[in-house]
Amino acid sequence: MNVRLNEFLDQAQVLLERLEPLLPAAQPPFDWRCTLAARWQRTGRDGALLPLQVSLDMHLADLIGVDSQRDQLSRNTRQFVAGLPANHALLWGARGTGKSSLVRALLAEHAEAGLRLIEIERDHLADLPRVVERLAGLPQRFVLFCDDLSFEAGDGDYRVLKSVLDGSLERAPDNVLLYATSNRRHLVPERQSDNDNWQLVDGEVHPNEAVEDKIALSDRFGLWLSFYPFTQDHYLSVVRHWIEVLAGQCGLPWDWDETLERTAIRWAQGRGNRNGRCAYQFARHWVGLQLLG
């Protein structure tokens, strides 16, 4: 009897050793009082929140030329942090125009008041219900941030997002909002074939249900903010701002003149775009060159 028991225990031990690598690692204690941001990390069939070391170096004053978008999202966030009703937000438009930077700046603005940021990748949106479940009842206010959100044709994950935005049978907790950025206004591509089955019945137009289903996703966001390509003057004003910030941090004297302006314009032409990201990169390049001598 003892021999059989020992054999069974040995086999069980071998089985556990094989299964152990497949099991999710134990998550360390998570203290949101000293953790400002985290990332949802998929591990096997489960997932975990991993704390991030974030620098609060982006401020609302650094967002130049997007005053309306900045003010609207800032007001919505203030309502949310204060425990008042607020809306999920979709920031859509041209790349490099400050959409992600605006969300980062809001964390710096409201971290002391209890705002926390959780990054979740577009490929992990199916885990949203599990993430939300872990946040319910906590005293902090959480913005789930999905950068560059979009879906391809035939992708069904957007239905999970719809249920989280609106809530299904169970209402989403009041301490969670979703902020997403995208280059697409409607997030899901619309094909010409989607419109092939439009019908006119008794004088009423019935669009294809696929079109309605796709557009309905964007409608779940109560706040839409549009970001447009920069004009040359807008681009140059952002360049001047970042040179002033970076040069000031290094104690570097500088003057804005025609030569510097032409250099900034040529930099943008060489990159093939003219936006805030390009302006920030040029400022770092130029200040670095001056310091190098």
Side-chain angles (χ1 to χ4, degrees), residues 36 54-60 101-113 115 117:
L36 301 182
V54 293
S55 58
L56 303 180
D57 56 350
M58 180 66 67
H59 304 284
L60 292 175
S101 297
L102 179 51
V103 177
R104 289 173 48 205
L106 287 170
L107 177 62
E109 183 80 7
H110 299 288
E112 291 186 2
L115 184 66
L117 190 67

Side-chain angles (χ1 to χ4, degrees), residues 97-130:
T97 50
K99 300 185 293 294
S100 302
S101 297
L102 179 51
V103 177
R104 289 173 48 205
L106 287 170
L107 177 62
E109 183 80 7
H110 299 288
E112 291 186 2
L115 184 66
R116 300 294 183 264
L117 190 67
I118 297 177
E119 293 182 358
I120 182 165
E121 295 182 8
R122 173 254 170 277
D123 292 337
H124 298 163
L125 286 177
D127 298 336
L128 269 176
R130 276 184 278 181

Side-chain angles (χ1 to χ4, degrees), residues 74-96:
S74 180
R75 184 164 53 247
N76 189 70
T77 306
R78 289 199 307 271
Q79 293 173 207
F80 176 58
V81 172
L84 303 175
N87 280 308
H88 304 291
L90 174 63
L91 289 64
W92 74 277
R95 69 185 190 275

Side-chain angles (χ1 to χ4, degrees), residues 226-282:
S226 305
F227 291 74
Y228 301 101
F230 283 15
T231 64
Q232 180 162 293
D233 287 342
H234 187 179
Y235 164 74
L236 291 174
S237 67
V238 178
V239 170
R240 287 196 297 269
H241 169 77
W242 282 117
I243 289 180
E244 181 179 0
V245 170
L246 297 175
Q249 292 173 354
C250 305
L252 175 69
W254 68 284
D255 290 312
W256 183 263
D257 54 24
E258 292 184 1
T259 300
L260 179 53
E261 181 175 304
R262 287 196 299 269
T263 304
I265 293 173
R266 286 197 299 270
W267 173 275
Q269 292 171 340
R271 304 277 300 197
N273 57 55
R274 188 175 56 197
N275 54 35
R277 182 180 299 119
C278 179
Y280 178 71
Q281 292 167 345
F282 170 75

Side-chain angles (χ1 to χ4, degrees), residues 26-292:
Q27 186 175 3
F30 212 95
D31 187 358
W32 283 111
R33 292 173 299 179
C34 56
T35 301
L36 301 182
R39 177 183 293 115
W40 176 258
Q41 183 70 45
R42 175 79 62 80
T43 55
R45 295 185 178 181
D46 200 0
L49 288 168
L50 303 181
L52 298 177
Q53 298 296 327
V54 293
S55 58
L56 303 180
D57 56 350
M58 180 66 67
H59 304 284
L60 292 175
D62 293 324
L63 280 300
I64 306 297
V66 289
D67 298 0
S68 175
Q69 299 92 323
R70 180 191 62 202
D71 292 345
Q72 290 184 68
L73 192 62
S74 180
R75 184 164 53 247
N76 189 70
T77 306
R78 289 199 307 271
Q79 293 173 207
F80 176 58
V81 172
L84 303 175
N87 280 308
H88 304 291
L90 174 63
L91 289 64
W92 74 277
R95 69 185 190 275
T97 50
K99 300 185 293 294
S100 302
S101 297
L102 179 51
V103 177
R104 289 173 48 205
L106 287 170
L107 177 62
E109 183 80 7
H110 299 288
E112 291 186 2
L115 184 66
R116 300 294 183 264
L117 190 67
I118 297 177
E119 293 182 358
I120 182 165
E121 295 182 8
R122 173 254 170 277
D123 292 337
H124 298 163
L125 286 177
D127 298 336
L128 269 176
R130 276 184 278 181
V131 179
V132 171
E133 181 181 2
R134 300 186 185 200
L135 304 177
L138 295 178
Q140 291 81 15
R141 316 292 287 179
F142 296 92
V143 167
L144 303 181
F145 177 50
C146 187
D147 197 18
D148 196 18
L149 177 62
S150 64
F151 300 92
E152 298 304 323
D155 193 339
D157 282 349
Y158 72 92
R159 293 185 174 87
V160 177
L161 180 57
K162 283 169 59 178
S163 67
V164 171
L165 290 174
D166 263 358
S168 50
L169 293 178
E170 182 180 8
R171 194 166 69 94
D174 292 332
N175 67 334
V176 177
L177 276 186
L178 178 68
Y179 285 179
T181 69
S182 178
N183 294 330
R184 295 174 178 169
R185 182 177 183 181
H186 289 304
L187 301 179
V188 183
E190 298 177 59
R191 310 295 184 190
Q192 182 176 351
S193 59
D194 290 339
N195 300 311
D196 291 344
N197 297 324
W198 281 49
Q199 301 179 38
L200 186 66
V201 180
D202 293 332
E204 181 180 355
V205 175
H206 293 272
N208 187 293
E209 291 182 0
V211 176
E212 290 295 312
D213 195 32
K214 292 176 179 180
I215 295 177
L217 175 59
S218 297
D219 289 343
R220 264 47 176 199
F221 293 90
L223 182 60
W224 286 12
L225 299 176
S226 305
F227 291 74
Y228 301 101
F230 283 15
T231 64
Q232 180 162 293
D233 287 342
H234 187 179
Y235 164 74
L236 291 174
S237 67
V238 178
V239 170
R240 287 196 297 269
H241 169 77
W242 282 117
I243 289 180
E244 181 179 0
V245 170
L246 297 175
Q249 292 173 354
C250 305
L252 175 69
W254 68 284
D255 290 312
W256 183 263
D257 54 24
E258 292 184 1
T259 300
L260 179 53
E261 181 175 304
R262 287 196 299 269
T263 304
I265 293 173
R266 286 197 299 270
W267 173 275
Q269 292 171 340
R271 304 277 300 197
N273 57 55
R274 188 175 56 197
N275 54 35
R277 182 180 299 119
C278 179
Y280 178 71
Q281 292 167 345
F282 170 75
R284 289 180 59 86
H285 164 77
W286 186 84
V287 170
L289 279 182
Q290 307 312 304
L291 293 172
L292 185 63

